[in-house]
Amino acid sequence: VSTQSTGFKYTTFRVVYYPQIGYHLVLPVDPENNLEREKDTLHPDLEFQFRTSKFFYFKTPRTKELDATIGDIHCDIIDAEAEIIRSVESAVLRLSTPLIEAADLIGEIDSLISLAIVAKEFEYVRPILTLDNVIYITRGRHPLHEMIVPTFIPNDTTIAAFREVSLQVITGPNASGKSVYIKQVGLLVHMAQQKNCLLYTSDAADDL
């Protein structure tokens, strides 16, 4: 880019696009060329628009042609994206009921598959539910604690309301497993009431 009237010569320039204001020819700020004073009369085809600390921005016949032929493409793209999203939303809303039903079924199938994998891997068995206020657990294991210790010893649990004593008191030294045992019984009963699988052969009461 050169100007005969001022003698300014630029070997580096570029054309940039900005949303809303279109295409511009950009010339760098050069201390050797006092472009600030000549920016309005630099060249007949250069119409000064604005400047920053590093660049001068001009309109030219070519950038105007780009504005006319291509236009504010960024805004057009945004408008097209918004229109597509709205159409997709409308289609999804029309099919929301079967989609929700399908999602519920997929979630149920996924949970059953996960439960089957865990039951096989950790030897879980299906509980036998009864309306009697009893708990029978044979060789029960804490479903979480057994995963963080090298060895876990299974425990039996029998609690029956029809016996003379339906309350059990657990005693023992510190770190002997009292809390683990109590939590184990609660977790296994909860798993049984959720229609999941327990460890080994178990019975649990619904009304416990």
Side-chain angles (χ1 to χ4, degrees):
V1 177
S2 63
T3 61
Q4 296 178 355
S5 59
T6 61
F8 293 163
K9 293 184 178 181
Y10 288 88
T11 58
T12 301
F13 65 94
R14 56 180 175 166
V15 174
V16 299
Y17 165 79
Y18 292 110
Q20 306 297 331
I21 61 176
Y23 294 87
H24 288 76
L25 177 70
V26 180
L27 299 180
V29 174
D30 187 352
E32 297 182 358
N33 294 328
N34 192 4
L35 188 58
E36 180 64 34
R37 290 187 305 177
E38 306 291 340
K39 63 182 184 299
D40 294 320
T41 59
L42 185 62
H43 191 278
D45 290 339
L46 295 178
E47 297 180 12
F48 175 74
Q49 301 296 306
F50 63 93
R51 68 157 293 179
T52 63
S53 60
K54 295 182 179 180
F55 300 102
F56 290 90
Y57 293 81
F58 297 88
K59 283 290 188 180
T60 70
R62 180 56 176 160
T63 59
K64 292 179 181 180
E65 181 182 350
L66 292 174
D67 291 337
T69 55
I70 300 178
D72 201 346
I73 190 67
H74 180 73
C75 293
D76 293 340
I77 292 174
I78 293 177
D79 292 341
E81 289 178 346
E83 184 178 354
I84 293 172
I85 291 174
R86 285 193 296 269
S87 63
V88 172
E89 290 176 346
S90 300
V92 171
L93 288 175
R94 288 194 299 270
L95 300 174
S96 59
T97 300
L99 287 175
I100 292 174
E101 293 176 352
D104 291 340
L105 291 174
I106 292 173
E108 184 175 353
I109 293 172
D110 181 64
S111 64
L112 291 175
I113 292 175
S114 300
L115 181 60
I117 294 174
V118 171
K120 181 178 180 180
E121 182 176 354
F122 295 99
E123 298 180 338
Y124 284 26
V125 297
R126 183 178 180 180
I128 300 174
L129 301 181
T130 175
L131 294 177
D132 297 331
N133 192 15
V134 297
I135 299 177
Y136 296 130
I137 299 176
T138 304
R139 295 182 56 80
R141 307 195 311 265
H142 193 295
L144 300 178
H145 189 74
E146 70 165 347
M147 301 178 66
I148 61 174
V149 294
T151 303
F152 190 94
I153 300 175
N155 301 283
D156 296 343
T157 301
T158 300
I159 301 177
F162 53 80
R163 289 189 173 186
E164 294 182 359
V165 179
S166 60
L167 175 68
Q168 297 182 3
V169 179
I170 301 176
T171 62
N174 293 337
S176 62
K178 300 185 299 297
S179 298
V180 173
Y181 177 77
I182 294 173
K183 293 176 182 178
Q184 165 189 307
V185 174
L187 282 172
L188 296 183
V189 171
H190 176 72
M191 292 170 65
Q193 293 175 344
Q194 296 299 319
K195 299 182 180 180
N196 284 347
C197 291
L198 286 179
L199 299 172
Y200 298 103
T201 303
S202 309
D203 294 334
D206 267 338
D207 57 352
L208 182 64

Short mmCIF file of all heavy atoms in Angstrom, two decimals, residues 111-112 114-120 122-129 135-137 139-147 180 182-200 202-206 208:
data_model
loop_
_atom_site.label_atom_id
_atom_site.label_comp_id
_atom_site.label_asym_id
_atom_site.label_seq_id
_atom_site.Cartn_x
_atom_site.Cartn_y
_atom_site.Cartn_z
N SER A 111 -29.65 -49.80 35.60
CA SER A 111 -29.50 -50.15 37.01
C SER A 111 -29.56 -51.66 37.21
O SER A 111 -28.81 -52.22 38.02
CB SER A 111 -30.58 -49.45 37.84
OG SER A 111 -31.86 -49.90 37.48
N LEU A 112 -30.44 -52.34 36.46
CA LEU A 112 -30.54 -53.79 36.59
C LEU A 112 -29.28 -54.48 36.09
O LEU A 112 -28.80 -55.44 36.69
CB LEU A 112 -31.76 -54.30 35.81
CG LEU A 112 -33.13 -53.90 36.39
CD1 LEU A 112 -34.24 -54.35 35.46
CD2 LEU A 112 -33.31 -54.48 37.79
N SER A 114 -26.26 -53.13 36.02
CA SER A 114 -25.21 -52.85 37.01
C SER A 114 -25.37 -53.74 38.22
O SER A 114 -24.38 -54.28 38.76
CB SER A 114 -25.26 -51.37 37.41
OG SER A 114 -25.05 -50.52 36.31
N LEU A 115 -26.62 -53.92 38.68
CA LEU A 115 -26.88 -54.77 39.83
C LEU A 115 -26.50 -56.22 39.54
O LEU A 115 -25.92 -56.91 40.39
CB LEU A 115 -28.36 -54.68 40.20
CG LEU A 115 -28.80 -55.52 41.41
CD1 LEU A 115 -28.04 -55.10 42.65
CD2 LEU A 115 -30.29 -55.35 41.63
N ALA A 116 -26.79 -56.69 38.34
CA ALA A 116 -26.44 -58.07 37.98
C ALA A 116 -24.93 -58.27 37.96
O ALA A 116 -24.42 -59.29 38.43
CB ALA A 116 -27.04 -58.41 36.61
N ILE A 117 -24.21 -57.28 37.44
CA ILE A 117 -22.74 -57.38 37.40
C ILE A 117 -22.16 -57.42 38.81
O ILE A 117 -21.30 -58.24 39.13
CB ILE A 117 -22.16 -56.21 36.60
CG1 ILE A 117 -22.57 -56.31 35.12
CG2 ILE A 117 -20.64 -56.17 36.72
CD1 ILE A 117 -22.16 -55.11 34.29
N VAL A 118 -22.65 -56.52 39.67
CA VAL A 118 -22.16 -56.47 41.05
C VAL A 118 -22.54 -57.74 41.80
O VAL A 118 -21.73 -58.28 42.58
CB VAL A 118 -22.72 -55.22 41.76
CG1 VAL A 118 -22.39 -55.25 43.25
CG2 VAL A 118 -22.16 -53.95 41.14
N ALA A 119 -23.77 -58.23 41.60
CA ALA A 119 -24.20 -59.44 42.30
C ALA A 119 -23.32 -60.64 41.93
O ALA A 119 -22.96 -61.45 42.79
CB ALA A 119 -25.66 -59.73 41.96
N LYS A 120 -22.96 -60.73 40.66
CA LYS A 120 -22.11 -61.84 40.24
C LYS A 120 -20.69 -61.68 40.76
O LYS A 120 -20.06 -62.64 41.22
CB LYS A 120 -22.10 -61.92 38.71
CG LYS A 120 -21.25 -63.06 38.18
CD LYS A 120 -21.31 -63.14 36.65
CE LYS A 120 -20.46 -64.29 36.13
NZ LYS A 120 -20.49 -64.37 34.65
N PHE A 122 -19.58 -59.96 43.41
CA PHE A 122 -19.42 -60.01 44.87
C PHE A 122 -20.29 -61.08 45.53
O PHE A 122 -20.44 -61.10 46.74
CB PHE A 122 -19.75 -58.64 45.47
CG PHE A 122 -18.80 -57.56 45.05
CD1 PHE A 122 -19.14 -56.68 44.04
CD2 PHE A 122 -17.55 -57.44 45.65
CE1 PHE A 122 -18.27 -55.67 43.64
CE2 PHE A 122 -16.68 -56.44 45.27
CZ PHE A 122 -17.04 -55.55 44.26
N GLU A 123 -20.89 -61.96 44.72
CA GLU A 123 -21.68 -63.09 45.23
C GLU A 123 -22.86 -62.62 46.06
O GLU A 123 -23.12 -63.13 47.15
CB GLU A 123 -20.79 -64.05 46.03
CG GLU A 123 -19.68 -64.66 45.20
CD GLU A 123 -18.81 -65.60 46.02
OE1 GLU A 123 -18.82 -65.47 47.28
OE2 GLU A 123 -18.14 -66.46 45.45
N TYR A 124 -23.60 -61.65 45.56
CA TYR A 124 -24.84 -61.22 46.20
C TYR A 124 -25.95 -62.21 45.83
O TYR A 124 -25.92 -62.81 44.76
CB TYR A 124 -25.25 -59.84 45.72
CG TYR A 124 -24.44 -58.68 46.30
CD1 TYR A 124 -23.14 -58.86 46.76
CD2 TYR A 124 -25.00 -57.41 46.37
CE1 TYR A 124 -22.42 -57.81 47.26
CE2 TYR A 124 -24.27 -56.34 46.88
CZ TYR A 124 -22.98 -56.55 47.32
OH TYR A 124 -22.27 -55.49 47.82
N VAL A 125 -26.93 -62.35 46.72
CA VAL A 125 -28.08 -63.20 46.42
C VAL A 125 -29.36 -62.41 46.66
O VAL A 125 -29.36 -61.40 47.38
CB VAL A 125 -28.09 -64.48 47.28
CG1 VAL A 125 -26.87 -65.33 46.97
CG2 VAL A 125 -28.16 -64.13 48.76
N ARG A 126 -30.45 -62.89 46.10
CA ARG A 126 -31.73 -62.21 46.24
C ARG A 126 -32.31 -62.45 47.64
O ARG A 126 -32.37 -63.57 48.11
CB ARG A 126 -32.70 -62.71 45.18
CG ARG A 126 -34.04 -62.00 45.19
CD ARG A 126 -34.93 -62.54 44.08
NE ARG A 126 -36.22 -61.87 44.06
CZ ARG A 126 -37.18 -62.14 43.18
NH1 ARG A 126 -36.98 -63.07 42.26
NH2 ARG A 126 -38.32 -61.48 43.22
N PRO A 127 -32.74 -61.37 48.32
CA PRO A 127 -33.31 -61.55 49.67
C PRO A 127 -34.71 -62.13 49.61
O PRO A 127 -35.42 -62.02 48.62
CB PRO A 127 -33.32 -60.12 50.23
CG PRO A 127 -33.49 -59.26 49.01
CD PRO A 127 -32.72 -59.95 47.92
N ILE A 128 -35.11 -62.74 50.73
CA ILE A 128 -36.48 -63.22 50.88
C ILE A 128 -37.18 -62.27 51.83
O ILE A 128 -36.81 -62.16 53.01
CB ILE A 128 -36.50 -64.66 51.43
CG1 ILE A 128 -35.75 -65.60 50.48
CG2 ILE A 128 -37.94 -65.13 51.65
CD1 ILE A 128 -35.60 -67.00 51.01
N LEU A 129 -38.18 -61.56 51.34
CA LEU A 129 -38.89 -60.58 52.15
C LEU A 129 -40.09 -61.22 52.84
O LEU A 129 -40.74 -62.11 52.29
CB LEU A 129 -39.36 -59.41 51.29
CG LEU A 129 -38.26 -58.64 50.55
CD1 LEU A 129 -38.88 -57.50 49.75
CD2 LEU A 129 -37.22 -58.11 51.51
N ILE A 135 -35.31 -60.50 61.26
CA ILE A 135 -34.15 -60.34 60.37
C ILE A 135 -33.29 -61.59 60.53
O ILE A 135 -32.84 -61.90 61.64
CB ILE A 135 -33.31 -59.10 60.73
CG1 ILE A 135 -34.12 -57.82 60.59
CG2 ILE A 135 -32.07 -59.02 59.83
CD1 ILE A 135 -33.37 -56.57 61.00
N TYR A 136 -33.09 -62.29 59.44
CA TYR A 136 -32.17 -63.42 59.41
C TYR A 136 -31.12 -63.13 58.32
O TYR A 136 -31.46 -63.02 57.15
CB TYR A 136 -32.89 -64.73 59.07
CG TYR A 136 -33.91 -65.18 60.10
CD1 TYR A 136 -35.19 -65.53 59.71
CD2 TYR A 136 -33.57 -65.25 61.45
CE1 TYR A 136 -36.13 -65.93 60.64
CE2 TYR A 136 -34.51 -65.65 62.39
CZ TYR A 136 -35.79 -65.99 61.98
OH TYR A 136 -36.71 -66.38 62.91
N ILE A 137 -29.89 -63.03 58.74
CA ILE A 137 -28.80 -62.81 57.78
C ILE A 137 -27.76 -63.88 58.00
O ILE A 137 -27.26 -64.06 59.13
CB ILE A 137 -28.17 -61.41 57.95
CG1 ILE A 137 -29.20 -60.32 57.70
CG2 ILE A 137 -26.98 -61.24 57.01
CD1 ILE A 137 -28.67 -58.91 57.94
N ARG A 139 -24.09 -65.28 56.97
CA ARG A 139 -22.80 -64.92 56.38
C ARG A 139 -22.87 -63.56 55.67
O ARG A 139 -22.48 -63.40 54.52
CB ARG A 139 -22.31 -66.01 55.41
CG ARG A 139 -22.01 -67.34 56.09
CD ARG A 139 -21.50 -68.38 55.11
NE ARG A 139 -20.31 -67.93 54.40
CZ ARG A 139 -19.07 -67.94 54.91
NH1 ARG A 139 -18.86 -68.36 56.14
NH2 ARG A 139 -18.05 -67.52 54.18
N GLY A 140 -23.39 -62.59 56.39
CA GLY A 140 -23.50 -61.25 55.83
C GLY A 140 -22.16 -60.52 55.85
O GLY A 140 -21.31 -60.76 56.71
N ARG A 141 -22.01 -59.61 54.91
CA ARG A 141 -20.78 -58.80 54.84
C ARG A 141 -21.15 -57.34 54.64
O ARG A 141 -22.16 -57.03 53.99
CB ARG A 141 -19.88 -59.26 53.68
CG ARG A 141 -19.55 -60.73 53.68
CD ARG A 141 -18.38 -61.06 52.75
NE ARG A 141 -18.52 -60.47 51.43
CZ ARG A 141 -19.05 -61.13 50.38
NH1 ARG A 141 -19.52 -62.35 50.53
NH2 ARG A 141 -19.11 -60.56 49.21
N HIS A 142 -20.33 -56.46 55.18
CA HIS A 142 -20.54 -55.03 54.96
C HIS A 142 -20.18 -54.73 53.50
O HIS A 142 -19.04 -54.95 53.07
CB HIS A 142 -19.65 -54.21 55.89
CG HIS A 142 -20.00 -52.76 55.95
ND1 HIS A 142 -19.87 -51.93 54.86
CD2 HIS A 142 -20.49 -51.99 56.96
CE1 HIS A 142 -20.25 -50.70 55.20
NE2 HIS A 142 -20.63 -50.72 56.47
N PRO A 143 -21.12 -54.23 52.69
CA PRO A 143 -20.87 -54.09 51.24
C PRO A 143 -19.79 -53.09 50.89
O PRO A 143 -19.23 -53.17 49.79
CB PRO A 143 -22.23 -53.66 50.69
CG PRO A 143 -22.94 -53.05 51.86
CD PRO A 143 -22.46 -53.79 53.06
N LEU A 144 -19.46 -52.17 51.79
CA LEU A 144 -18.42 -51.19 51.50
C LEU A 144 -17.12 -51.49 52.23
O LEU A 144 -16.03 -51.39 51.66
CB LEU A 144 -18.91 -49.77 51.87
CG LEU A 144 -20.15 -49.28 51.14
CD1 LEU A 144 -20.55 -47.89 51.64
CD2 LEU A 144 -19.92 -49.24 49.64
N HIS A 145 -17.24 -51.86 53.50
CA HIS A 145 -16.03 -52.08 54.31
C HIS A 145 -15.19 -53.22 53.77
O HIS A 145 -13.96 -53.18 53.84
CB HIS A 145 -16.43 -52.34 55.77
CG HIS A 145 -15.28 -52.35 56.72
ND1 HIS A 145 -14.62 -51.20 57.11
CD2 HIS A 145 -14.63 -53.38 57.34
CE1 HIS A 145 -13.65 -51.50 57.93
NE2 HIS A 145 -13.64 -52.82 58.09
N GLU A 146 -15.84 -54.25 53.25
CA GLU A 146 -15.09 -55.41 52.76
C GLU A 146 -14.21 -55.06 51.54
O GLU A 146 -13.30 -55.80 51.20
CB GLU A 146 -16.03 -56.54 52.40
CG GLU A 146 -16.87 -56.29 51.15
CD GLU A 146 -17.51 -57.56 50.64
OE1 GLU A 146 -17.12 -58.66 51.10
OE2 GLU A 146 -18.40 -57.46 49.78
N MET A 147 -14.50 -53.90 50.91
CA MET A 147 -13.73 -53.52 49.72
C MET A 147 -12.44 -52.81 50.08
O MET A 147 -11.59 -52.59 49.21
CB MET A 147 -14.59 -52.63 48.82
CG MET A 147 -15.88 -53.30 48.34
SD MET A 147 -16.89 -52.22 47.32
CE MET A 147 -15.84 -52.01 45.89
N VAL A 180 -18.97 -51.45 62.51
CA VAL A 180 -19.07 -52.06 61.19
C VAL A 180 -20.21 -53.07 61.15
O VAL A 180 -20.99 -53.13 60.19
CB VAL A 180 -17.73 -52.72 60.79
CG1 VAL A 180 -17.89 -53.51 59.50
CG2 VAL A 180 -16.64 -51.67 60.65
N ILE A 182 -22.94 -53.19 63.09
CA ILE A 182 -24.25 -52.54 63.18
C ILE A 182 -24.61 -51.89 61.84
O ILE A 182 -25.74 -52.03 61.35
CB ILE A 182 -24.23 -51.48 64.31
CG1 ILE A 182 -24.06 -52.17 65.67
CG2 ILE A 182 -25.51 -50.65 64.28
CD1 ILE A 182 -23.87 -51.20 66.82
N LYS A 183 -23.66 -51.20 61.25
CA LYS A 183 -23.93 -50.56 59.96
C LYS A 183 -24.17 -51.60 58.88
O LYS A 183 -24.97 -51.38 57.95
CB LYS A 183 -22.76 -49.66 59.58
CG LYS A 183 -22.59 -48.45 60.51
CD LYS A 183 -21.35 -47.66 60.15
CE LYS A 183 -21.16 -46.48 61.10
NZ LYS A 183 -19.92 -45.71 60.79
N GLN A 184 -23.48 -52.74 58.99
CA GLN A 184 -23.67 -53.80 58.00
C GLN A 184 -25.11 -54.29 58.00
O GLN A 184 -25.73 -54.43 56.93
CB GLN A 184 -22.72 -54.96 58.34
CG GLN A 184 -23.05 -56.27 57.64
CD GLN A 184 -22.22 -57.40 58.19
OE1 GLN A 184 -21.00 -57.29 58.22
NE2 GLN A 184 -22.86 -58.47 58.63
N VAL A 185 -25.68 -54.51 59.18
CA VAL A 185 -27.07 -54.99 59.27
C VAL A 185 -28.01 -53.94 58.68
O VAL A 185 -28.92 -54.26 57.90
CB VAL A 185 -27.43 -55.30 60.74
CG1 VAL A 185 -28.92 -55.65 60.85
CG2 VAL A 185 -26.58 -56.44 61.28
N GLY A 186 -27.79 -52.67 59.04
CA GLY A 186 -28.66 -51.62 58.50
C GLY A 186 -28.58 -51.51 57.00
O GLY A 186 -29.61 -51.36 56.31
N LEU A 187 -27.37 -51.59 56.45
CA LEU A 187 -27.20 -51.49 55.00
C LEU A 187 -27.86 -52.66 54.28
O LEU A 187 -28.52 -52.49 53.25
CB LEU A 187 -25.71 -51.42 54.65
CG LEU A 187 -25.02 -50.07 54.87
CD1 LEU A 187 -23.52 -50.19 54.66
CD2 LEU A 187 -25.59 -49.02 53.92
N LEU A 188 -27.69 -53.87 54.82
CA LEU A 188 -28.27 -55.04 54.15
C LEU A 188 -29.79 -55.01 54.18
O LEU A 188 -30.45 -55.36 53.20
CB LEU A 188 -27.74 -56.32 54.80
CG LEU A 188 -26.23 -56.56 54.69
CD1 LEU A 188 -25.85 -57.89 55.32
CD2 LEU A 188 -25.77 -56.50 53.25
N VAL A 189 -30.36 -54.57 55.31
CA VAL A 189 -31.82 -54.45 55.39
C VAL A 189 -32.31 -53.38 54.41
O VAL A 189 -33.33 -53.56 53.73
CB VAL A 189 -32.25 -54.13 56.82
CG1 VAL A 189 -33.74 -53.79 56.87
CG2 VAL A 189 -31.96 -55.32 57.74
N HIS A 190 -31.58 -52.27 54.35
CA HIS A 190 -31.96 -51.21 53.41
C HIS A 190 -31.90 -51.71 51.97
O HIS A 190 -32.80 -51.44 51.17
CB HIS A 190 -31.04 -50.01 53.59
CG HIS A 190 -31.29 -48.91 52.60
ND1 HIS A 190 -32.40 -48.09 52.65
CD2 HIS A 190 -30.57 -48.50 51.52
CE1 HIS A 190 -32.36 -47.22 51.64
NE2 HIS A 190 -31.26 -47.45 50.96
N MET A 191 -30.85 -52.44 51.63
CA MET A 191 -30.72 -52.99 50.28
C MET A 191 -31.86 -53.95 49.97
O MET A 191 -32.40 -53.97 48.86
CB MET A 191 -29.37 -53.68 50.12
CG MET A 191 -28.18 -52.74 50.16
SD MET A 191 -26.59 -53.60 50.25
CE MET A 191 -26.57 -54.43 48.68
N ALA A 192 -32.26 -54.73 50.97
CA ALA A 192 -33.36 -55.67 50.75
C ALA A 192 -34.67 -54.93 50.49
O ALA A 192 -35.45 -55.31 49.61
CB ALA A 192 -33.50 -56.59 51.97
N GLN A 193 -34.91 -53.87 51.24
CA GLN A 193 -36.15 -53.11 51.07
C GLN A 193 -36.16 -52.32 49.77
O GLN A 193 -37.23 -51.93 49.29
CB GLN A 193 -36.34 -52.18 52.27
CG GLN A 193 -36.61 -52.94 53.56
CD GLN A 193 -36.67 -52.02 54.77
OE1 GLN A 193 -36.25 -50.88 54.71
NE2 GLN A 193 -37.20 -52.53 55.87
N GLN A 194 -35.00 -52.08 49.19
CA GLN A 194 -34.92 -51.42 47.89
C GLN A 194 -35.00 -52.43 46.75
O GLN A 194 -34.73 -52.10 45.60
CB GLN A 194 -33.61 -50.62 47.79
CG GLN A 194 -33.51 -49.48 48.77
CD GLN A 194 -34.59 -48.47 48.58
OE1 GLN A 194 -34.94 -48.13 47.45
NE2 GLN A 194 -35.16 -47.97 49.67
N LYS A 195 -35.28 -53.69 47.06
CA LYS A 195 -35.40 -54.77 46.07
C LYS A 195 -34.08 -54.99 45.34
O LYS A 195 -34.05 -55.35 44.17
CB LYS A 195 -36.52 -54.46 45.06
CG LYS A 195 -37.89 -54.34 45.70
CD LYS A 195 -38.96 -54.08 44.67
CE LYS A 195 -40.32 -53.96 45.31
NZ LYS A 195 -41.40 -53.70 44.34
N ASN A 196 -32.99 -54.77 46.07
CA ASN A 196 -31.68 -55.09 45.54
C ASN A 196 -31.24 -56.46 46.03
O ASN A 196 -32.04 -57.23 46.55
CB ASN A 196 -30.66 -54.02 45.95
CG ASN A 196 -30.84 -52.76 45.14
OD1 ASN A 196 -31.52 -52.74 44.13
ND2 ASN A 196 -30.22 -51.69 45.59
N CYS A 197 -29.94 -56.75 45.93
CA CYS A 197 -29.43 -58.05 46.35
C CYS A 197 -28.65 -57.90 47.64
O CYS A 197 -28.05 -56.87 47.91
CB CYS A 197 -28.52 -58.65 45.28
SG CYS A 197 -29.42 -59.13 43.80
N LEU A 198 -28.66 -58.96 48.45
CA LEU A 198 -27.89 -59.00 49.69
C LEU A 198 -26.72 -59.96 49.53
O LEU A 198 -26.57 -60.65 48.52
CB LEU A 198 -28.78 -59.45 50.85
CG LEU A 198 -29.80 -58.43 51.35
CD1 LEU A 198 -30.62 -59.05 52.48
CD2 LEU A 198 -29.10 -57.19 51.86
N LEU A 199 -25.90 -60.01 50.58
CA LEU A 199 -24.79 -60.93 50.58
C LEU A 199 -25.22 -62.27 51.15
O LEU A 199 -25.74 -62.34 52.26
CB LEU A 199 -23.63 -60.36 51.42
CG LEU A 199 -23.06 -59.03 50.92
CD1 LEU A 199 -22.07 -58.49 51.93
CD2 LEU A 199 -22.41 -59.19 49.58
N TYR A 200 -25.04 -63.32 50.39
CA TYR A 200 -25.38 -64.66 50.82
C TYR A 200 -26.88 -64.81 51.11
O TYR A 200 -27.69 -63.98 50.74
CB TYR A 200 -24.51 -65.07 52.03
CG TYR A 200 -23.05 -65.09 51.66
CD1 TYR A 200 -22.21 -64.06 52.05
CD2 TYR A 200 -22.53 -66.12 50.90
CE1 TYR A 200 -20.88 -64.06 51.69
CE2 TYR A 200 -21.18 -66.14 50.53
CZ TYR A 200 -20.37 -65.10 50.94
OH TYR A 200 -19.07 -65.10 50.57
N SER A 202 -30.31 -64.46 52.93
CA SER A 202 -30.77 -63.47 53.89
C SER A 202 -32.28 -63.39 53.89
O SER A 202 -32.94 -63.61 52.90
CB SER A 202 -30.19 -62.09 53.55
OG SER A 202 -28.81 -62.16 53.39
N ASP A 203 -32.84 -63.02 55.04
CA ASP A 203 -34.24 -62.66 55.16
C ASP A 203 -34.30 -61.31 55.82
O ASP A 203 -33.52 -61.01 56.72
CB ASP A 203 -35.02 -63.67 56.02
CG ASP A 203 -35.09 -65.03 55.36
OD1 ASP A 203 -35.00 -65.05 54.11
OD2 ASP A 203 -35.22 -66.02 56.07
N ALA A 204 -35.23 -60.47 55.41
CA ALA A 204 -35.37 -59.16 56.05
C ALA A 204 -36.84 -58.80 56.11
O ALA A 204 -37.61 -59.11 55.21
CB ALA A 204 -34.61 -58.10 55.26
N ALA A 205 -37.22 -58.10 57.19
CA ALA A 205 -38.62 -57.73 57.37
C ALA A 205 -38.88 -56.38 56.76
O ALA A 205 -38.09 -55.46 56.91
CB ALA A 205 -38.97 -57.71 58.86
N ASP A 206 -40.04 -56.25 56.05
CA ASP A 206 -40.41 -54.97 55.43
C ASP A 206 -40.72 -53.91 56.48
O ASP A 206 -40.54 -52.72 56.24
CB ASP A 206 -41.62 -55.16 54.54
CG ASP A 206 -41.18 -55.44 53.10
OD1 ASP A 206 -40.05 -55.09 52.74
OD2 ASP A 206 -41.99 -56.01 52.37
N LEU A 208 -39.44 -53.39 59.47
CA LEU A 208 -38.41 -53.10 60.46
C LEU A 208 -38.17 -51.59 60.53
O LEU A 208 -37.95 -50.97 59.51
CB LEU A 208 -37.11 -53.82 60.13
CG LEU A 208 -35.96 -53.62 61.13
CD1 LEU A 208 -36.34 -54.22 62.48
CD2 LEU A 208 -34.68 -54.22 60.61
#
